[in-house]
Amino acid sequence: MSRKILVTSALPYANGPIHIGHLVEYIQTDIWVRFQKLRGNRCIYICADDTHGTAIMISARREGIPEEEFIQRMYEAHVRDFAGFDIEFDNYGSTHSPENREICEVFWRALRQAGLVIEKEVTQLFDPVAGVFLADRFVKGTCPNPACHAPDQYGDSCDRCGHTHSPAELIHPVSTISGAKPELRTARHLFVQIERLHDFLEEWTQTGDHLQPEIANYLKAHFLSEPLRDWDVSRPAPYFGFEIPDSPGNYWYVWFDAPIGYIGSTKQWCDRTGESLDDWWRNPETEVHHFIGKDITYFHCLFWPAMLKTAGFNLPRKIHIHGFLTVNGEKMSKSKGTFIKAETYLRHLDPSYLRYYYAAKLSSRVEDIDLNLEEFVSKVNTDLVGNIVNLASRTARFLEGQNLSPTYPDDSGLFAQAAADGQAIAEAYEKCDFGKAMRLILAAGDRANQFIERAAPWNLKKDPAKQSQLRDVCTIGLNLFRQLVIYLSPVLPRLAAQTGKLLNDPVSSWDQSQVPLVGNRVAPFEHMMTRVPKEKLAAVVEESREVEVASGGGEGNRPAEGVSPETADTDETLQREPLLTSTVTIDDFAKIDLRVARVLAAEEVPGADKLLKLTLSLGGNHTRTVFAGIKKAYKPGDLVGRLVILVANLAPRKMRFGTSEGMILAAGWGDDQVFLLAPDQGAKPGHRVH
RNA sequence: GGGCCCGUAGCUCAGCGGUGAGAGCAGGGGACUCAUAAUCCCUUGGUCGGGGGUUCGAAUCCCUCCGGGCCUACCA
């Protein structure tokens, strides 16, 4: 009987691009969903961007655009990246949608009605310059542990001594947003008394196979052994999110509306397709499966079931939790070039490679998986090109333009054996043990290659009397190939499509693996997948490598550690701004009067997003007023006193805020990527630059 | 500090109480030539992190130590 399955992946935060770490989850989920669809189950894949919270508010502010515009831009990038990896959502929405707001209100009313919401005073650090409350992550200062006193530590714990503290305990706390000294402020927050659902959560997490065993153990030992603390679900303005209807000035915390986004996004899909939301979310027949990373375990395994239970929605049938991705055995690193963005990967490599590699490495456990770049190359080349695709490559050509044998020849049980393997392969897929599924498929591929080796069609070809035998051998080879492609089609949809064309029979159902194909016309063979060139992978790493230099802001420019400039510099800058092809003469250059100048004053310009008003001294009483578009990269206070290079004879220009009497030199693309030029020590205001 | 998980051949992993511990890649030797230097056959290699225990029997269960990863709630 066909199952009804609703599947989600965690909502990616709309504060950065999709990278290969994210893709572990989306590829894993997409494979599982495609498998379910192939098996004939009714299955939909729902996801959305997670768009609220302080971090996004700050990022948008930094770019000088409204949050809505910021998240829209990110949305488009995410959708494009996912599509590039053949990740096929039935709906990809946003938590910042009317549908989501509506469902949030449904949950909120239910929590209120159940009497679970209470109000408490919360004292938090507040940034008086930026005008926002500061999460721990946004406060830095000196570790309060007397034995440590390490500088530059986050508000929650010290990474030098491991001491945990509250941000208010930090010595010399500083807001990482504005650099201002935070002050303590009190506000009323709304809390959900999740402890009142303790018994339910104990029962739900410990029985019924909803969680992997290690996760159930973890929750029991860590959270359920003591009373659950009240969950703070509101944030005072300013906050980018949804205002709480019965508590003006307060907003739902991003983690309140994010999981609700699963339902909000489903509602969008329902409205579009004429389906009923209750049929999917308030229906015991529907299985809800969440795929998430281990870092967000407690939100999904405690808060979320508690909310669903209270509001009367379906509880998850299963929460599938995966580990993190490491690259070459280490955390992804920008300076090593292993922090690889989806977009960068796609510029050089076929998405099928990564889909297969992840599939081969994934199990149903919570373990981290490692992307070993050398192994990646050898696995794709050996398993996919050498073993699987090679089956078609070495037989299809003998039958080009002809038909497969009219009845399936005797293959001494090979097809039947692989058909029987289908059972174990399907079970492995169902349990998310994709690695096992791949191993079984590859083993069948080995047997098929052995068969072809023994049957030696290349010898049959030479003998005109053996042409029908040749056709039989190739019919067997192509059928064994097709069978494996059907098994692989959740992982490699492109290969499945190509195979469908080759044999004139599109892959659409798992059952096709159980019956040999006969009589079909064989289309001319074209390469289905090419080997991974090592250089391509090297190019990806090279392009991903970034020199970790803090951009112009408060912390100053720290040289990157452990990175030699020769190996670290890419030509990304030149690609973005190619060298000019026209030349100038020395006389042309001499017309520009470049001078060293000292910044006497720097101030913000009311109403201007990008401009700072600078007062520069060329020595003595020679001063100039210059408006510079560097506000997003520099704080006024950091500029006063430093030396810059001024174009002293640039024609004055009237601007909306006053007249600019020159221009200062800087490198970079603009916005926060602005790096002022400065002379080495010893230069004096008024010196000409030659 | 507390907790969860992991530690099996050079590498990536399977096996998770019962025939002499396995696969792929890498290494060595050979065959073949249809195929994207693909494929096929043979082969080198491990006191299953250390120690103790339970058992007729342990890589597999328990304890302990060592090493690694992660989590620890107003972090997104």
Side-chain angles (χ1 to χ4, degrees), chain A residues 389-539:
Chain A
V389 173
N390 191 224
L391 287 170
S393 180
R394 67 195 306 202
T395 52
R397 271 182 241 257
F398 294 122
L399 280 190
E400 267 180 11
Q402 303 176 52
N403 294 346
L404 296 171
S405 303
T407 55
Y408 189 68
D410 179 16
D411 66 0
S412 50
L414 279 175
F415 188 91
Q417 189 186 349
D421 284 349
Q423 178 84 22
I425 294 168
E427 278 168 22
Y429 269 122
E430 178 67 38
K431 288 195 319 201
C432 290
D433 200 348
F434 299 161
K436 185 173 192 178
M438 296 307 110
R439 282 192 299 278
L440 288 165
I441 293 168
L442 263 287
D446 282 338
R447 294 196 300 266
N449 271 306
Q450 286 160 19
F451 165 81
I452 293 167
E453 197 73 20
R454 266 181 273 115
W458 52 95
N459 288 336
L460 299 174
K461 192 191 175 196
K462 293 172 192 156
D463 186 346
K466 292 183 173 165
Q467 292 312 294
S468 102
Q469 212 181 322
L470 172 65
R471 187 177 63 174
D472 281 355
V473 166
C474 294
T475 296
I476 291 167
L478 285 169
N479 263 289
L480 296 175
F481 165 71
R482 168 175 169 270
Q483 196 174 32
L484 300 182
V485 168
I486 293 164
Y487 292 151
L488 280 170
S489 66
V491 179
L492 302 171
R494 293 187 189 190
L495 180 63
Q498 290 166 313
T499 304
K501 268 190 206 150
L502 178 71
L503 299 177
N504 237 319
D505 181 60
V507 173
S508 61
S509 151
W510 185 268
D511 295 338
Q512 290 172 293
S513 66
Q514 305 298 301
V515 186
L517 195 65
V518 289
N520 279 32
R521 194 173 191 78
V522 179
F525 181 79
E526 292 167 24
H527 276 346
M528 296 176 148
M529 200 177 277
T530 53
R531 297 166 56 78
V532 187
K534 277 193 182 129
E535 315 81 67
K536 284 283 183 77
L537 197 63

Side-chain angles (χ1 to χ4, degrees), chain A residues 3 31 52 75 83 92 111 156 160 285 306 377 417 573 608:
Chain A
R3 293 152 67 190
I31 291 172
H52 292 154
Y75 178 87
Y92 194 85
L111 290 166
D156 45 2
R160 168 100 63 89
E285 301 293 307
V377 172
Q417 189 186 349
T573 46

Side-chain angles (χ1 to χ4, degrees), chain A residues 161-316:
Chain A
C161 71
H163 183 259
T164 55
H165 45 256
S166 79
E169 292 175 81
L170 285 175
I171 303 167
H172 307 308
V174 172
S175 161
T176 60
I177 297 168
S178 70
K181 182 172 188 280
E183 50 195 53
L184 282 173
R185 281 209 194 170
T186 310
R188 297 196 70 76
H189 284 221
L190 296 163
F191 288 76
V192 173
Q193 294 175 291
I194 191 173
E195 173 60 13
R196 304 232 325 246
L197 289 139
H198 195 130
D199 289 345
F200 158 73
L201 289 171
E202 177 91 37
E203 159 83 18
W204 187 81
T205 57
Q206 302 303 311
T207 61
D209 187 32
H210 303 119
L211 302 170
Q212 288 129 300
E214 58 264 51
I215 296 295
N217 289 345
Y218 159 71
L219 294 173
K220 191 181 175 71
H222 205 122
F223 298 103
L224 295 166
S225 58
E226 53 188 86
L228 296 159
R229 292 189 221 165
D230 296 336
W231 182 32
D232 186 350
V233 294
S234 78
R235 295 292 181 275
Y239 192 77
F240 182 58
F242 293 139
E243 193 166 17
I244 302 176
D246 56 15
S247 182
N250 281 318
Y251 290 74
W252 282 308
Y253 173 47
V254 55
W255 262 112
F256 179 83
D257 69 57
I260 293 174
Y262 296 141
I263 304 180
S265 182
T266 310
K267 183 167 191 315
Q268 255 176 13
W269 177 79
C270 288
D271 292 348
R272 200 177 67 233
T273 58
E275 294 271 338
S276 137
L277 185 67
D278 282 356
D279 209 26
W280 286 91
W281 274 102
R282 294 186 197 266
N283 176 0
E285 301 293 307
T286 306
E287 297 176 33
V288 174
H289 290 256
H290 297 304
F291 285 78
I292 63 166
K294 64 183 179 180
D295 51 333
I296 54 176
T297 296
Y298 55 76
F299 285 105
H300 279 80
C301 299
L302 297 174
F303 299 149
W304 180 232
M307 285 164 69
L308 290 167
K309 172 82 176 166
T310 305
F313 287 95
N314 272 26
L315 288 162

